[in-house]
mmCIF file of all heavy atoms in Angstrom:
data_model
loop_
_atom_site.group_PDB
_atom_site.id
_atom_site.type_symbol
_atom_site.label_atom_id
_atom_site.label_comp_id
_atom_site.label_asym_id
_atom_site.label_seq_id
_atom_site.Cartn_x
_atom_site.Cartn_y
_atom_site.Cartn_z
ATOM 1 N N PHE A 800 18.201 12.028 52.319
ATOM 2 C CA PHE A 800 17.837 10.924 51.355
ATOM 3 C C PHE A 800 19.117 10.126 51.087
ATOM 4 O O PHE A 800 20.239 10.755 51.136
ATOM 5 C CB PHE A 800 17.361 11.495 50.094
ATOM 6 C CG PHE A 800 16.620 10.469 49.205
ATOM 7 C CD1 PHE A 800 15.233 10.118 49.541
ATOM 8 C CD2 PHE A 800 17.217 10.044 48.088
ATOM 9 C CE1 PHE A 800 14.610 9.162 48.664
ATOM 10 C CE2 PHE A 800 16.462 9.019 47.260
ATOM 11 C CZ PHE A 800 15.322 8.650 47.656
ATOM 12 N N ASP A 801 19.031 8.823 50.731
ATOM 13 C CA ASP A 801 20.064 8.057 50.441
ATOM 14 C C ASP A 801 20.177 7.930 48.847
ATOM 15 O O ASP A 801 19.467 7.119 48.262
ATOM 16 C CB ASP A 801 19.835 6.643 50.993
ATOM 17 C CG ASP A 801 21.010 5.603 50.777
ATOM 18 O OD1 ASP A 801 21.923 6.096 49.982
ATOM 19 O OD2 ASP A 801 21.048 4.568 51.357
ATOM 20 N N ASN A 802 20.992 8.815 48.207
ATOM 21 C CA ASN A 802 21.087 8.799 46.928
ATOM 22 C C ASN A 802 22.527 8.672 46.529
ATOM 23 O O ASN A 802 23.496 9.233 47.270
ATOM 24 C CB ASN A 802 20.515 10.161 46.152
ATOM 25 C CG ASN A 802 20.306 10.075 44.753
ATOM 26 O OD1 ASN A 802 20.212 8.969 44.185
ATOM 27 N ND2 ASN A 802 20.146 11.238 44.105
ATOM 28 N N TYR A 803 22.932 7.990 45.457
ATOM 29 C CA TYR A 803 24.377 7.638 45.138
ATOM 30 C C TYR A 803 24.450 7.261 43.739
ATOM 31 O O TYR A 803 23.520 7.107 42.947
ATOM 32 C CB TYR A 803 24.910 6.473 46.241
ATOM 33 C CG TYR A 803 23.900 5.288 46.201
ATOM 34 C CD1 TYR A 803 24.117 4.212 45.442
ATOM 35 C CD2 TYR A 803 22.815 5.278 47.068
ATOM 36 C CE1 TYR A 803 23.328 3.125 45.471
ATOM 37 C CE2 TYR A 803 22.012 4.237 47.052
ATOM 38 C CZ TYR A 803 22.236 3.094 46.392
ATOM 39 O OH TYR A 803 21.387 1.997 46.314
ATOM 40 N N ASP A 804 25.739 7.114 43.248
ATOM 41 C CA ASP A 804 26.048 7.064 41.880
ATOM 42 C C ASP A 804 25.484 5.867 41.189
ATOM 43 O O ASP A 804 25.046 5.871 40.046
ATOM 44 C CB ASP A 804 27.597 7.100 41.670
ATOM 45 C CG ASP A 804 28.005 7.293 40.185
ATOM 46 O OD1 ASP A 804 27.765 8.387 39.701
ATOM 47 O OD2 ASP A 804 28.423 6.412 39.570
ATOM 48 N N ALA A 805 25.486 4.658 41.975
ATOM 49 C CA ALA A 805 24.996 3.486 41.338
ATOM 50 C C ALA A 805 23.433 3.401 41.225
ATOM 51 O O ALA A 805 22.939 2.594 40.476
ATOM 52 C CB ALA A 805 25.400 2.151 42.190
ATOM 53 N N LEU A 806 22.840 4.267 42.025
ATOM 54 C CA LEU A 806 21.331 4.319 42.010
ATOM 55 C C LEU A 806 20.884 5.297 40.939
ATOM 56 O O LEU A 806 20.044 4.978 40.016
ATOM 57 C CB LEU A 806 20.823 4.854 43.306
ATOM 58 C CG LEU A 806 19.214 4.989 43.429
ATOM 59 C CD1 LEU A 806 18.539 3.712 43.258
ATOM 60 C CD2 LEU A 806 18.896 5.674 44.778
ATOM 61 N N ASN A 807 21.484 6.465 40.802
ATOM 62 C CA ASN A 807 21.205 7.496 39.861
ATOM 63 C C ASN A 807 22.645 8.103 39.379
ATOM 64 O O ASN A 807 23.148 8.981 40.073
ATOM 65 C CB ASN A 807 20.312 8.630 40.388
ATOM 66 C CG ASN A 807 18.988 8.183 40.717
ATOM 67 O OD1 ASN A 807 18.239 7.694 39.810
ATOM 68 N ND2 ASN A 807 18.605 8.127 42.024
ATOM 69 N N SER A 808 23.148 7.570 38.264
ATOM 70 C CA SER A 808 24.499 7.807 38.011
ATOM 71 C C SER A 808 24.767 9.217 37.445
ATOM 72 O O SER A 808 23.848 9.927 36.841
ATOM 73 C CB SER A 808 25.094 6.860 36.993
ATOM 74 O OG SER A 808 24.276 7.020 35.811
ATOM 75 N N GLY A 809 25.930 9.765 37.687
ATOM 76 C CA GLY A 809 26.403 11.102 37.077
ATOM 77 C C GLY A 809 26.142 12.248 38.068
ATOM 78 O O GLY A 809 25.422 12.176 39.020
ATOM 79 N N SER A 810 26.756 13.357 37.789
ATOM 80 C CA SER A 810 26.731 14.527 38.658
ATOM 81 C C SER A 810 25.298 15.119 38.781
ATOM 82 O O SER A 810 25.034 15.671 39.883
ATOM 83 C CB SER A 810 27.667 15.568 38.080
ATOM 84 O OG SER A 810 29.032 15.168 38.014
ATOM 85 N N SER A 811 24.503 14.856 37.819
ATOM 86 C CA SER A 811 23.088 15.332 37.917
ATOM 87 C C SER A 811 22.161 14.428 38.416
ATOM 88 O O SER A 811 20.949 14.737 38.484
ATOM 89 C CB SER A 811 22.709 16.015 36.611
ATOM 90 O OG SER A 811 22.665 14.880 35.614
ATOM 91 N N GLY A 812 22.616 13.190 38.692
ATOM 92 C CA GLY A 812 21.697 12.218 39.237
ATOM 93 C C GLY A 812 21.862 11.794 40.682
ATOM 94 O O GLY A 812 20.897 11.562 41.379
ATOM 95 N N ARG A 813 23.118 11.785 41.153
ATOM 96 C CA ARG A 813 23.406 11.132 42.472
ATOM 97 C C ARG A 813 23.215 12.215 43.652
ATOM 98 O O ARG A 813 23.153 11.837 44.781
ATOM 99 C CB ARG A 813 24.733 10.590 42.544
ATOM 100 C CG ARG A 813 25.921 11.627 42.302
ATOM 101 C CD ARG A 813 27.260 10.911 42.219
ATOM 102 N NE ARG A 813 28.278 11.916 42.000
ATOM 103 C CZ ARG A 813 29.169 11.895 40.948
ATOM 104 N NH1 ARG A 813 28.997 10.986 39.955
ATOM 105 N NH2 ARG A 813 29.958 12.817 40.847
ATOM 106 N N PRO A 814 23.264 13.550 43.489
ATOM 107 C CA PRO A 814 23.163 14.372 44.551
ATOM 108 C C PRO A 814 21.810 14.380 45.187
ATOM 109 O O PRO A 814 20.751 14.048 44.587
ATOM 110 C CB PRO A 814 23.440 15.857 44.068
ATOM 111 C CG PRO A 814 24.138 15.547 42.808
ATOM 112 C CD PRO A 814 23.560 14.272 42.218
ATOM 113 N N LEU A 815 21.760 14.769 46.458
ATOM 114 C CA LEU A 815 20.417 14.876 47.054
ATOM 115 C C LEU A 815 19.733 16.111 46.446
ATOM 116 O O LEU A 815 18.556 16.062 46.168
ATOM 117 C CB LEU A 815 20.642 15.094 48.625
ATOM 118 C CG LEU A 815 19.282 15.174 49.501
ATOM 119 C CD1 LEU A 815 19.503 14.672 50.889
ATOM 120 C CD2 LEU A 815 18.560 16.451 49.460
ATOM 121 N N PHE A 816 20.431 17.212 46.305
ATOM 122 C CA PHE A 816 19.857 18.476 45.799
ATOM 123 C C PHE A 816 20.593 18.859 44.546
ATOM 124 O O PHE A 816 21.742 19.194 44.651
ATOM 125 C CB PHE A 816 19.728 19.530 46.725
ATOM 126 C CG PHE A 816 18.975 20.766 46.367
ATOM 127 C CD1 PHE A 816 18.105 20.866 45.327
ATOM 128 C CD2 PHE A 816 19.127 21.923 47.234
ATOM 129 C CE1 PHE A 816 17.399 21.972 45.061
ATOM 130 C CE2 PHE A 816 18.320 23.043 46.906
ATOM 131 C CZ PHE A 816 17.469 23.087 45.832
ATOM 132 N N VAL A 817 19.909 18.851 43.379
ATOM 133 C CA VAL A 817 20.527 19.274 42.079
ATOM 134 C C VAL A 817 19.905 20.576 41.675
ATOM 135 O O VAL A 817 18.716 20.707 41.630
ATOM 136 C CB VAL A 817 20.298 18.261 40.945
ATOM 137 C CG1 VAL A 817 20.763 18.759 39.663
ATOM 138 C CG2 VAL A 817 20.871 16.913 41.342
ATOM 139 N N ILE A 818 20.801 21.578 41.457
ATOM 140 C CA ILE A 818 20.295 22.990 40.894
ATOM 141 C C ILE A 818 20.949 23.148 39.536
ATOM 142 O O ILE A 818 22.216 23.187 39.476
ATOM 143 C CB ILE A 818 20.799 24.059 41.850
ATOM 144 C CG1 ILE A 818 20.153 23.854 43.278
ATOM 145 C CG2 ILE A 818 20.317 25.465 41.323
ATOM 146 C CD1 ILE A 818 20.678 24.876 44.302
#
Side-chain angles (χ1 to χ4, degrees):
F800 198 76
D801 183 355
N802 199 15
Y803 50 95
D804 194 72
L806 179 66
N807 293 295
S808 63
S810 296
S811 61
R813 64 184 182 238
L815 187 155
F816 189 9
V817 176
I818 301 173

